[in-house]
Amino acid sequence: NNRNFQAAKLFARKWRCNAVEPESDDKAKPIRNLPRKSDFDLALERLGSSRKRFITINLSALAIALGANFLGVTSSLLGMLPDRKGLYIIPAELTQFYPVGGWKRYIGDGEYELIYPANWLQDPAVVFSNQAGPED
């Protein structure tokens, strides 16, 4: 009888279920209730991973996707704000690259800035002259 109980305890430990201790008055009393692992945790365990690693990898991927404007995610999130407030939440230099609500920003030499539709192209002659620097 004791041998069967030891086998039941090992089985319960392996499969995370309740082991029952035999008593003389025919009432079964559970030793302890172990929480059962979810299917997600079991799948991660089979892959040799953990919940912490899964969350870390996915949060890193989310940060990279938002930072790189992957598939326009950052632009669309900032474009959801009313009255083009998304243009003023992030630094002005970033709105030169990220269209927000279909708009981009151009910043002159500290003297002026303007907002233009994102589907317009900047004048390449102006970009090249700014890269070349002042002429003597």
Side-chain angles (χ1 to χ4, degrees):
N1 194 15
N2 193 19
R3 187 178 223 176
N4 290 340
F5 176 68
Q6 294 297 330
K9 240 171 123 176
L10 287 173
F11 179 81
R13 223 181 274 145
K14 182 175 180 182
W15 295 103
R16 304 269 190 223
C17 60
N18 295 334
V20 177
E21 186 174 348
E23 291 185 1
S24 61
D25 58 348
D26 295 337
K27 288 186 178 177
K29 176 178 147 188
I31 293 175
R32 62 181 169 166
N33 285 331
L34 296 174
R36 295 185 61 89
K37 287 190 176 183
S38 68
D39 291 339
F40 179 72
D41 287 329
L42 291 174
L44 285 176
E45 203 172 89
R46 281 186 216 119
L47 293 172
S49 189
S50 66
R51 189 176 285 260
K52 180 180 177 183
R53 183 181 294 168
F54 178 80
I55 290 171
T56 303
I57 288 171
N58 283 302
L59 286 178
S60 301
L62 177 65
I64 291 169
L66 288 175
N69 197 22
F70 182 68
L71 299 176
V73 173
T74 307
S75 297
S76 63
L77 285 176
L78 290 171
M80 289 178 162
L81 298 172
D83 299 329
R84 288 189 227 135
K85 288 183 182 176
L87 282 171
Y88 304 105
I89 288 179
I90 60 176
E93 292 79 21
L94 290 178
T95 57
Q96 295 180 31
F97 306 108
Y98 296 151
V100 177
W103 298 92
K104 279 188 175 181
R105 183 188 311 229
Y106 175 78
I107 299 176
D109 298 324
E111 300 169 9
Y112 64 93
E113 71 180 55
L114 60 101
I115 297 172
Y116 63 95
N119 58 0
W120 287 10
L121 297 176
Q122 286 185 352
D123 187 3
V126 173
V127 173
F128 290 138
S129 68
N130 286 339
Q131 288 177 351
E135 293 181 18
D136 292 328

